[in-house]
Amino acid sequence: MEPVMAIAIGLLYAAAIFLMLRRSIVKLVIGLMLLSNAANLLIFTSAGMTRGAPPLIPEGMLAPEGVVADPLPQAVVLTAIVIAFGVLAFAVVLIRRAYEIVKADDLDKMKDTDT
Amino acid sequence: MRPEVALPVLLPLLSGAISLLFWRSRPMQRFTAVAGNLVLLVVALWLFASVHQEGYVTIQMGGWEAPYGITLVADMLSAVMIVLTALIGLVIAVYSLASTGPDHEKFGYYPLMHLLLAGVSGAFLTGDIFNLYVWFEVMLVASFALMILGGEKAQMEGAIKYVTLNLLASVIFLTAIGLLYGMVGTLNMADIALRLHEAEHQGMVEVLAVMFMVAFGIKAAAFPLFFWLPASYHTPPVAVSALFAGLLTKVGVYSLFRVFTLMFDETLDYTQDLLIWGAAFTMVTGVLGAAAQYEFRRILSFHIVSQIGYMILGLALYTPLAIAGGIFAVMHNIVVKTNLFLISGITRRLQGTYQLKKMGGLYKERPWLAVAFFLSAFSLAGIPPLSGFFAKFVIVRAGIEAEAYVVTGIALAVGLMTLYSMVKIWNEVFWKALPEDNLVPEQETVVGDDGRMVKPSLWMMTLPVGALAALSLLIGVFAEPLMQIMNTAGEQLMNPQGYIDAVLGGNVDVSEALIEVPASEEATP
């Protein structure tokens, strides 16, 4: 499973960076979304994938039996998803407002503050 | 229980919540801003006193023991940064009373300011690498909203660059955390430090070190990833600019200090050159960028970049003296840079513009403002006996002792170039006569508390400026005791064992006995 995930994550990163290098601000934001999803998948995968072994402690014992899935990366990914959701919601509103005010979705036309 | 470690995070959150409850009441929000940040400063000094006495103060959140729960830990570096955060918060709150218009206050300016301070404090105090990421995001979201408050065209354009580059840095940071967790199976920074030294793939550790360097480098605005800063910092309302200039990039610098002294101290033969030359180019490009500018806040923005170079140079030289000098530079820069931005706001109020070419004659008109600018600007350039002189002196001396002559020479030359930019502002704004084509606007009027139109008072803007200018002078006069504090901080950073023991509470054996289910073993099918 891990090799497939690794390739998928690599493709997601590549697609995200490609989109972020485009001039359109819409593609920029889509690139950011893909990028944060790629990072979340990467955390999930790099911590190791265990199939069908929830980290439950049987009654009357102090530690789970045998090899179980690591619950921490899942908690971390959950937090990261929520944060990414909030931040990207802001980014979407930002590009909408920017489009209304600048009247262009082209980054090359947003150079007023650069010089 | 050590409440003083958690309070600097909790208090701004509380003030922010109170502000939100009084959403419609401007006077109540303004009162909460000043009172809340005043209490924050008191708590910060309490924390500093505890750290000064004991060396390290920790609190385990929720009572979970160290490698499992989230630890808040304050060493000398954290304590100094927390005091500075609270100080800048208070100064900005007072200044905002006069400078921030009701149209900004109505849309949550004060709650966002509190949230930003909570994020900054949390980043300075946390001992958990993922928690650091969370505090970074708290800080970023608040700063995004503050940056576009008002919604002008320039703000939108600046914000797109600011948001994109900072989110990119966050994702690189998150990616590095993911890979790091895959390697060592823990998120506690002290625990990571122990396990990284035993890691099998030292090559991978170097890759991770560079990923953290890039992520924090973007946030600290280091070369070559600084260009979002001068493209955006001159666009928001001036109190917001000053708050960002004082605190945000320093969180990136702090993280670099923390991560490279604690976790990646063994990769230094590989990363040290990168850091040194990154610092050198940061200093040079920042100061050259400023030389070409004729807009007050843009000059200052480029100088933020340039000064970041000094701080990173302090880290890169990696001797106790150099690190102490780096922290001294952070302290000096937070005070002085914030003050310069605040002064630019006052001159803007007086002359209606940030363009140097259209300003003039302020020395005659406002001699005390000129003195405050003089103190801050020449402190930035490193003229004795002001605060910047000692920051530069210590770093240069550490550079000579470490026999890094080229980069030390660059640091000195950049000091001279800084002086050039500051003299340029001095000449254009204060010294030359007011150009005849400048239509100094009628003093803007605002709606007073009683509903009538009144001229805004300047004293609430000049009071913080005077206080910070005096502080810059005092830092220079009392450099010796302050330098001792910085030396303590430098010693602590160079000997991370103290930090590790403080966080793990000496029960390292327990943590190693309980790692029977590490992630790497599950991964093998």
Side-chain angles (χ1 to χ4, degrees), chain B residues 128-361:
Chain B
D128 183 284
I129 193 87
F130 185 73
N131 202 232
L132 181 64
Y133 166 80
V134 174
W135 289 120
F136 258 114
E137 295 300 298
V138 169
M139 180 183 94
L140 273 186
V141 168
S143 74
F144 291 166
L146 280 174
M147 175 149 271
I148 59 161
L149 210 61
E152 285 164 25
K153 184 163 177 269
Q155 285 181 299
M156 291 299 164
E157 296 188 7
I160 285 189
K161 290 150 201 165
Y162 178 80
V163 168
T164 309
L165 264 294
N166 274 293
L167 285 187
L168 182 67
S170 291
V171 172
I172 295 173
F173 184 17
L174 193 58
T175 308
I177 292 176
L179 294 173
L180 188 63
Y181 184 78
M183 272 182 75
V184 297
T186 178
L187 291 171
N188 185 298
M189 287 201 267
D191 207 16
I192 292 173
L194 286 180
R195 306 244 187 122
L196 269 186
H197 292 175
E198 302 153 5
E200 291 169 36
H201 309 288
Q202 283 303 322
M204 192 62 198
V205 178
E206 284 173 2
V207 172
L208 284 174
V210 173
M211 284 185 83
F212 278 108
M213 194 195 295
V214 171
F216 295 141
I218 294 178
K219 294 193 188 275
F223 179 87
L225 305 156
F226 62 87
F227 42 83
W228 57 270
L229 193 150
S232 61
Y233 268 29
H234 63 291
T235 58
V238 66
V240 176
S241 279
L243 187 60
F244 287 10
L247 295 179
L248 291 196
T249 47
K250 278 48 167 204
V251 184
V253 175
Y254 163 85
S255 308
L256 279 175
F257 270 76
R258 177 65 71 214
V259 164
F260 276 91
T261 53
L262 181 63
M263 282 155 51
F264 297 116
D265 50 336
E266 286 191 356
T267 64
L268 268 179
D269 46 343
Y270 178 68
T271 49
Q272 191 170 27
D273 282 343
L274 279 178
L275 280 171
I276 285 185
W277 291 108
F281 277 106
T282 309
M283 288 189 281
V284 172
T285 46
V287 86
L288 287 181
Q293 298 295 328
Y294 269 92
E295 209 258 24
F296 205 142
R297 284 199 286 177
R298 293 206 56 145
I299 296 177
L300 298 179
S301 300
F302 272 106
H303 274 293
I304 299 176
V305 177
S306 163
Q307 300 291 318
I308 293 293
Y310 283 98
M311 302 165 200
I312 297 179
L313 180 60
L315 170 67
L317 291 171
Y318 210 69
T319 60
L321 186 66
I323 287 186
I327 304 169
F328 201 104
V330 173
M331 174 182 72
H332 138 77
N333 196 258
I334 288 180
V335 171
V336 166
K337 183 61 74 180
T338 309
N339 202 19
L340 286 170
F341 269 90
L342 295 182
I343 291 170
S344 81
I346 297 182
T347 59
R348 153 83 209 256
R349 176 64 65 81
L350 291 171
Q351 306 212 311
T353 179
Y354 287 111
Q355 298 295 335
L356 296 188
K357 288 288 182 197
K358 293 183 183 163
M359 304 166 89

Side-chain angles (χ1 to χ4, degrees), chain A:
Chain A
M1 194 64 189
E2 273 90 356
V4 181
M5 289 298 282
I7 292 167
I9 292 166
L11 283 176
L12 271 177
Y13 269 97
I17 300 290
F18 174 74
L19 280 171
M20 287 180 70
L21 293 174
R22 304 294 295 271
R23 277 162 50 184
S24 154
I25 48 176
V26 180
K27 285 171 185 156
L28 177 76
V29 169
I30 297 176
L32 278 176
M33 289 172 185
L34 287 183
L35 199 61
S36 64
N37 286 340
N40 290 340
L41 272 181
L42 181 121
I43 297 177
F44 196 63
T45 311
S46 78
M49 301 177 90
T50 315
R51 209 186 167 95
L56 297 176
I57 302 172
E59 210 174 331
M61 293 178 70
L62 285 173
E65 282 179 317
V67 176
V68 293
D70 186 353
L72 190 70
Q74 301 177 22
V76 164
V77 167
L78 195 61
T79 316
I81 289 173
V82 174
I83 291 175
F85 176 76
V87 172
L88 289 170
F90 176 87
V92 170
V93 177
L94 174 69
I95 61 160
R96 181 166 181 270
R97 287 292 297 158
Y99 175 73
E100 280 174 4
I101 291 173
V102 185
K103 304 225 170 6
D105 77 334
D106 187 346
L107 280 172
D108 278 6
K109 297 205 172 103
M110 297 192 179
K111 288 196 287 204
D112 280 5
T113 61
D114 285 347
T115 48

